[in-house]
Amino acid sequence: MDVTTGRRNLEGHMMWKPMSIIAMVLALAGCTTVKDPPMPVSPAKSEWSIAIHGGAGSMAPGRFKPEREQEYRDALAKALKAGSDILAGGGSAMDAVEAAVMVMEDDPGFNAGRGSVFSYEGHNEMDAAVMDGATRAAGAVAGLTATKNPVLAARAVMERTPHVFLSHEGANRFSEEMGIEQASPEWFAIPSRRRQWEEFRAKQVGWFDKDLKYGTVGAVARDSGGHLAAATSTGGLTGKRWGRIGDSPVVGAGTYADDRSCAVSATGTGEYFIREAAAHEICARVRLTSVDTQQAADAVMAEIGEMGGDGGVIFVSKDGESGFSFNTPGMFRGRADSNGVSEVAIYAAD
Ligand code: GLY
């Protein structure tokens, strides 16, 4: 199973590495004519750093009309800016990931908040989680049907209760009682998502849509105080049934942050990410072994691929290095940091 890494595609890092060796040899030989490589040696350590995703899936070049593709790139850039502005102004990683995720929840192009996919019964049931790497406090919600921004409800669980995970009717009641903005079912129900659900029901095959119409959203960040945070929000999978919950709100599977290692948010076939305890597994490998975060993310994604899972992860390390790893043709993604990196991408070859 191929795994695409941030080094290779978003920044041309694999190209840069051999150039560095040549540059070093020439420099040692006293030659001064070597030009600087065109790309920075990123992911680099940085004071603050943020990475976002808007889901991984079957998007390959040519899949979208140019205007649609530009809309996605603009939406990712808007989410990245929302988080970056907070970090650049000295704000917290938690505020930054919340802000970035809210932008994507509000955008009907992503499968989270408004624009969530439909369950088997034709409802929108949303899941979200947040985690604070400094304290390893976490909050999660599953099966929300009326909360405009599920990430806010997840954060309220973390900050305003002794609990970690609330679901379905109780989570809905909690969200309302906390005064978090609610909306009617019509607000969430986007016609294109309804069509996907109708196609799914017409086919009547499989447990859920295998076409990887994911669009789960997530963000991870390191703030200038050195603290990490992660947030993930999703409508789950088209056709999900019987209260099915994916990896996004499961702390350790789709979302994890630990100041001692890294922050991770995942997207993909949630069942496999739960079985791999993917986000925690990446952070644990970084904390307990000598691998770096990119190596840990690639190894975990390879294992998920071997099990039959599809999707990807984004990460920020404790030193502010950002990156991603995915085994699908594309992943909506972006990253920015205090070194001046600011970029969005969709396809593996971007
Ligand atoms: N990764 C989202 C889900 O499986 O629900």
Side-chain angles (χ1 to χ4, degrees), residues 127 214 216 234-237 244-248 266-271 273:
D127 310 332
Y214 291 142
T216 291
T234 189
L237 298 180
R244 178 264 184 194
I245 299 169
D247 61 314
S248 306
T267 172
T269 39
E271 281 69 9
F273 287 75

Side-chain angles (χ1 to χ4, degrees), residues 273-308:
F273 287 75
I274 293 173
R275 288 164 54 195
E276 180 78 359
H280 179 269
E281 180 72 16
I282 293 167
C283 293
R285 289 186 191 201
V286 170
R287 183 165 59 90
L288 301 171
T289 76
S290 58
V291 299
D292 67 23
T293 318
Q294 185 71 62
Q295 290 167 328
D298 290 346
V300 166
M301 280 312 304
E303 287 176 16
I304 286 172
E306 280 158 21
M307 289 196 293

Side-chain angles (χ1 to χ4, degrees), residues 236-256:
L237 298 180
T238 301
K240 65 182 183 178
R241 204 173 179 187
W242 298 309
R244 178 264 184 194
I245 299 169
D247 61 314
S248 306
V250 178
V251 171
T255 307
Y256 201 74

Side-chain angles (χ1 to χ4, degrees), residues 61-84:
R63 162 87 188 264
F64 302 113
K65 291 188 176 141
E67 321 81 76
R68 186 77 192 109
E69 182 178 313
Q70 193 55 49
E71 279 171 15
Y72 273 121
R73 292 185 190 275
D74 291 347
L76 290 168
K78 188 175 169 195
L80 200 57
K81 184 172 178 343
S84 303

Side-chain angles (χ1 to χ4, degrees), residues 92 94-95 98 129-130 139-140 150-160:
S92 73
M94 180 55 66
D95 285 346
E98 178 188 272
V130 297
V151 70
L152 295 180
R155 187 166 178 180
V157 173
M158 179 178 80
E159 292 180 343
R160 300 167 73 178

Side-chain angles (χ1 to χ4, degrees), residues 111-257:
N111 173 20
R114 189 161 195 232
S116 288
V117 298
F118 283 71
S119 68
Y120 187 85
E121 290 82 11
H123 306 134
N124 303 112
E125 293 173 13
M126 297 162 285
D127 310 332
V130 297
M131 187 157 182
D132 178 344
T135 57
R136 273 170 285 141
V141 284
L144 291 181
T145 54
T147 303
K148 269 184 110 171
N149 293 103
V151 70
L152 295 180
R155 187 166 178 180
V157 173
M158 179 178 80
E159 292 180 343
R160 300 167 73 178
T161 82
H163 308 306
V164 169
F165 203 171
L166 303 180
S167 86
H168 295 90
E169 194 200 328
N172 276 313
R173 229 178 23 247
F174 167 78
S175 172
E176 208 176 341
E177 284 175 21
M178 291 299 111
I180 296 168
E181 190 175 357
Q182 310 287 300
S184 69
E186 295 72 43
W187 195 85
F188 297 99
I190 300 302
S192 59
R193 294 297 191 196
R194 188 179 291 283
R195 274 197 301 280
Q196 285 170 4
W197 170 69
E198 284 165 356
E199 282 165 23
F200 173 84
R201 288 300 299 255
K203 281 189 255 162
Q204 285 291 347
V205 288
W207 287 88
F208 25 62
D209 190 354
K210 295 296 276 180
D211 284 342
L212 303 181
K213 294 189 184 76
Y214 291 142
T216 291
V217 307
V220 290
R222 178 199 198 266
D223 60 34
S224 48
H227 297 305
L228 305 182
T232 313
S233 182
T234 189
L237 298 180
T238 301
K240 65 182 183 178
R241 204 173 179 187
W242 298 309
R244 178 264 184 194
I245 299 169
D247 61 314
S248 306
V250 178
V251 171
T255 307
Y256 201 74

Side-chain angles (χ1 to χ4, degrees), residues 11 42-44 49-51 294 315-317 320-324 335-337:
E11 300 180 325
S42 189
S49 181
I50 182 167
Q294 185 71 62
F315 66 79
V316 164
S317 77
E321 298 145 329
S322 63
F324 58 89
R335 63 178 159 192
D337 67 30

